[in-house]
Amino acid sequence: MSVNTQFTKENLDICLKELAKEFRKRNGNKMPAEVILIGGASVLINYGFREMTYDMDAIIQSSSAMRDAISLVGDKLGLPYGWLNTDFMKTASYTPKLARYSKYYKTFSNILQIRTISAEYLVAMKLMAGRQYKNDLSDVVGILIEQEDRGEPLTFEIIKKAVEDLYESYDAVPENSQRFIEAIYEKDDLKEFYRQCREMELENKDILVEFQDDYPGVLNGDNLADILRAAREKKNKTTFELEIEKEN
């Protein structure tokens, strides 16, 4: 059996089911494991606007047998290294409080419990990350749209409280993210705004890939925002110059 390396709502459970089987073989059935899925995987499970994610960020509470199980399932299903990983726990978005605000999803093989982050706490995490080259901003808009459609809208006050619950203070999130979430509630057409956000994220990703190709080893977390800003300013300037040439 082989699974596409793009995780979708349909194949995500296949991977988790296989993981539970392999874990049970190596661990037995006396010590259950818990995996809290974060980010894109939580979006896939709880919402319909996101089509796929490339890996599963998680908080894993388990015996050491889980490490071998993850590797074996990856080999069996043709998944990339790190298909299920805890790298997220090294980022600013992580807080131990996430476990408190997680919610039950499914239990596989009576040994592996899967939980997710949803609604306002998922938005809070996305705002803390605030990456303009991934799905963070468009995910925020998509979640707000679906919550509205469900008749369970997330007000700014709800989002603000979620940020405070996780990170102590609303000011803990980056200023750009604060401006972003505050501006959303001034928008008349969130579906169009979602499209614009996604378009910007894809464009930014292309910019960073191109920069990495031209200047390998230079890009890092400290200079990423500055490089993006400079590249976009250069592109906007070039576009402006082309428009001037057309007029002349």
Side-chain angles (χ1 to χ4, degrees):
M1 179 169 53
S2 178
V3 170
N4 192 298
T5 55
Q6 295 179 349
F7 296 101
T8 66
K9 198 163 192 171
E10 288 70 32
N11 67 26
L12 187 146
D13 276 12
I14 295 174
C15 300
L16 295 175
K17 184 177 180 180
E18 289 297 319
L19 180 63
K21 288 181 182 177
E22 291 295 341
F23 177 71
R24 191 182 183 106
K25 287 179 187 177
R26 282 149 189 81
N27 183 77
N29 59 7
K30 293 182 179 179
M31 290 181 61
E34 179 182 88
V35 172
I36 304 174
L37 294 176
I38 307 295
S42 271
V43 174
L44 285 178
I45 289 171
N46 291 294
Y47 299 98
F49 65 88
R50 180 93 172 262
E51 294 181 354
M52 55 85 181
T53 187
Y54 289 101
D55 62 1
M56 296 190 206
D57 299 312
I59 301 170
I60 300 175
Q61 298 178 359
S62 168
S63 71
S64 59
M66 182 60 75
R67 188 180 300 109
D68 290 338
I70 291 171
S71 179
L72 287 164
V73 170
D75 291 342
K76 182 178 181 180
L77 299 183
L79 303 174
Y81 176 78
W83 68 272
L84 177 65
N85 66 82
T86 59
D87 293 347
F88 160 82
M89 295 177 70
K90 302 172 185 176
T91 71
S93 297
Y94 171 73
T95 167
K97 295 178 182 179
L98 283 167
R100 186 189 311 169
Y101 298 108
S102 65
K103 71 173 189 176
Y104 177 77
Y105 172 53
K106 286 182 181 180
T107 297
F108 294 89
S109 298
N110 293 318
I111 191 74
L112 177 60
Q113 182 181 115
I114 305 297
R115 302 181 68 83
T116 69
I117 307 296
S118 65
E120 64 265 37
Y121 295 102
L122 190 49
V123 170
M125 287 172 50
K126 292 287 184 179
L127 291 175
M128 179 59 86
R131 296 165 298 186
Q132 297 182 23
Y133 58 95
K134 286 208 169 183
N135 296 73
D136 290 332
L137 303 183
S138 60
D139 278 351
V140 168
V141 182
I143 291 168
L144 293 181
I145 291 172
E146 287 209 21
Q147 289 290 142
E148 183 75 32
D149 290 344
R150 294 175 184 180
E152 302 172 352
L154 297 179
T155 65
F156 175 74
E157 288 71 25
I158 290 174
I159 300 299
K160 186 171 182 289
K161 183 180 183 302
V163 171
E164 293 168 348
D165 286 341
L166 292 179
Y167 307 112
E168 304 295 338
S169 169
Y170 177 65
D171 290 333
V173 301
E175 288 186 14
N176 285 346
S177 291
Q178 291 183 35
R179 289 195 293 270
F180 177 77
I181 189 64
E182 290 163 14
I184 285 178
Y185 290 95
E186 303 296 324
K187 299 291 182 183
D188 294 324
D189 188 347
L190 280 188
K191 291 184 179 178
E192 171 59 19
F193 189 52
Y194 173 86
R195 186 194 65 77
Q196 293 171 359
C197 287
R198 194 71 197 107
E199 187 177 279
M200 179 200 71
E201 289 166 341
L202 292 171
E203 187 175 284
N204 285 345
K205 183 177 180 180
D206 289 342
I207 287 172
L208 293 177
V209 169
E210 184 177 344
F211 183 91
Q212 181 65 20
D213 290 341
D214 293 341
Y215 307 98
V218 175
L219 191 65
N220 58 59
D222 294 329
N223 62 22
L224 189 149
D226 291 336
I227 288 171
L228 255 183
R229 189 182 305 109
R232 292 191 69 85
E233 287 175 356
K234 180 179 179 181
K235 180 174 181 179
N236 290 338
K237 182 179 179 182
T238 302
T239 302
F240 176 75
E241 289 170 347
L242 286 172
E243 291 298 324
I244 294 295
E245 289 177 3
K246 286 180 183 179
E247 292 178 4
N248 293 335

